[in-house]
Amino acid sequence: MSGLPPLPRASQPQIIRAYQKDLFYNFFLREESENVLRSIFGTRWLSKWDKEVELFTKLLYYGLTTLRGLQSLGEEYVDIRPISTKNRRLPNLKLRAAMLLLPTLPSYLISRFSRNLPLDPEGRVSRFIRAVPNFLEILTEINLATFYFSGAYYSLSSRILRVRHMSSVSVNPNFKPPSYSFLGILLSIRLLNRLYNLVHQYLPALSTLSASSPSESEPNLSTETYIDSEPISSLVPTPAQLANSTEDPWGDRTVLDLGTIDPEVRVGQRKCALCLEERTASSVTECGHMFCWTCVVGWAREKAECPLCRQSLDLARILPVYNL
């Protein structure tokens, strides 16, 4: 196959609209697939295999379009085509397979298996694997900011594979396409803010570790978990607060007066499924189950899934409940 004749490069609005259309159709396909699977297997099964359903719908959508060498619905909408910048040809089968798998498979593997990997004695492997999604997110934002300035490679995978979009629509010399540089500036400011927060979060921990070795009674800062830049250890109630089960450590933030409730009724309705005692510092997971704060945090550190329904559990998404 000979090289393609000279074609104008796709403009930023064309590329953005194409990706937005693909995202819409992919979301629609996933939503319909979830409705069918939910009616067959139930909500609990769907919650357990939600990552696989998301991966399947992406592979199905782009497998029927990109992998076959056809335009996706978004590309067809704005009349653009991807080409390889190395030889100015349409992508071959290997490159199309890479365009399909690179944006989908690594993110799925990381999200599904990162929390189930065995820990080494110092926890370095676990910390590294859990830092990969944040690192990829930062790289994606850097690439997007670069796209807003340069107008090339909207996705990180297309930049890695050196695949650009060309337009079949002739360019009007009298029309100047809009610029998205202002969005690039805003995104750059956000990236600088994230960098500042990371330095502000980890620099004190590193300086403390270099100054003195941690004792058994102090939390290990190298393995500390943070929620909104606050360490988990500072949010967990102290043993003195938990000594009296009739006192809720967050009692000053609730209108519930535990002393006025019959003890048998109170314990029966406020029992934690992990410690089998009355809940203290009640907290709720994304799936709607309530536990003691210390119980669910300890459980999530060992196994990142709800102990009742086995849905994935994220420490940053556990919420306090003040009035129950």
Side-chain angles (χ1 to χ4, degrees):
M1 180 185 293
S2 59
L4 291 175
L7 293 174
R9 294 178 178 177
S11 62
Q12 286 177 305
Q14 285 180 303
I15 297 174
I16 293 175
R17 282 198 295 266
Y19 274 94
Q20 287 176 340
K21 279 289 183 180
D22 287 333
L23 185 63
F24 169 78
Y25 287 119
N26 192 13
F27 175 79
F28 177 78
L29 178 60
R30 178 184 176 184
E31 191 176 43
E32 294 300 317
S33 302
E34 288 180 348
N35 291 336
V36 173
L37 294 174
R38 186 182 293 107
S39 63
I40 298 175
F41 300 105
T43 303
R44 182 168 296 182
W45 182 93
L46 185 61
S47 299
K48 181 180 180 181
W49 300 103
D50 59 334
K51 299 296 183 183
E52 284 72 15
V53 173
E54 181 182 3
L55 175 66
F56 170 76
T57 53
K58 287 182 179 179
L59 294 179
L60 178 62
Y61 178 78
Y62 291 105
L64 294 175
T65 54
T66 303
L67 187 63
R68 297 177 59 196
L70 304 175
Q71 290 174 293
S72 67
L73 296 179
E75 293 169 347
E76 186 178 357
Y77 177 74
V78 295
D79 202 5
I80 61 176
R81 276 189 175 275
I83 67 165
S84 173
T85 58
K86 296 180 180 179
N87 51 21
R88 293 189 57 82
R89 297 175 182 235
L90 294 173
N92 55 28
L93 181 59
K94 291 183 179 180
L95 186 56
R96 295 199 303 269
M99 292 169 59
L100 171 66
L101 297 177
L102 188 59
T104 56
L105 195 57
S107 59
Y108 162 75
L109 294 175
I110 293 172
S111 62
R112 173 56 72 183
F113 300 110
S114 61
R115 297 183 180 276
N116 298 325
L117 291 176
L119 301 178
D120 64 349
E122 298 183 358
R124 295 177 180 176
V125 174
S126 174
R127 294 199 304 275
F128 173 77
I129 295 297
R130 295 182 183 183
V132 169
N134 293 330
F135 178 71
L136 291 178
E137 183 180 353
I138 293 176
L139 284 182
T140 301
E141 291 189 359
I142 293 175
N143 175 78
L144 188 58
T146 306
F147 167 80
Y148 287 141
F149 287 118
S150 64
Y153 306 117
Y154 184 83
S155 66
L156 184 61
S157 59
S158 63
R159 184 176 297 274
I160 295 174
L161 299 174
R162 311 300 294 177
V163 174
R164 292 199 61 166
H165 282 91
M166 310 299 287
S167 175
S168 303
V169 181
S170 59
V171 179
N172 185 356
N174 298 321
F175 174 75
K176 183 178 181 180
S179 174
Y180 292 85
S181 299
F182 182 68
L183 294 178
I185 295 174
L186 294 180
L187 198 53
S188 300
I189 295 174
R190 178 184 174 184
L191 287 169
L192 291 175
N193 181 63
R194 292 188 63 174
L195 178 61
Y196 171 79
N197 290 335
L198 286 175
V199 173
H200 181 72
Q201 175 178 326
Y202 290 106
L203 190 59
L206 293 176
S207 61
T208 304
L209 287 175
S210 60
S212 61
S213 59
S215 61
E216 295 182 358
S217 59
E218 297 177 348
N220 189 347
L221 297 177
S222 62
T223 58
E224 182 63 87
T225 304
Y226 289 81
I227 297 179
D228 295 336
S229 73
E230 293 292 334
I232 285 287
S233 57
S234 66
L235 302 176
V236 177
T238 62
Q241 291 176 303
L242 300 175
N244 190 350
S245 61
T246 62
E247 293 184 3
D248 195 317
W250 291 332
D252 57 338
R253 304 180 189 179
T254 179
V255 297
L256 183 63
D257 187 0
L258 298 179
T260 62
I261 304 176
D262 183 82
E264 294 184 0
V265 176
R266 186 185 71 231
V267 175
Q269 295 183 353
R270 289 169 47 85
K271 181 177 292 186
C272 173
L274 291 174
C275 65
L276 301 180
E277 296 180 356
E278 184 180 358
R279 288 194 312 269
T280 55
S282 299
S283 304
V284 64
T285 62
E286 285 186 285
C287 52
H289 296 114
M290 286 194 293
F291 308 93
C292 301
W293 170 262
T294 50
C295 294
V296 70
V297 168
W299 175 278
R301 283 175 167 173
E302 297 295 329
K303 198 170 186 180
E305 62 180 27
C306 175
L308 294 181
C309 66
R310 306 302 178 187
Q311 183 174 329
S312 59
L313 185 61
D314 187 355
L315 276 176
R317 296 184 180 273
I318 299 174
L319 300 176
V321 179
Y322 300 136
N323 296 316
L324 290 176

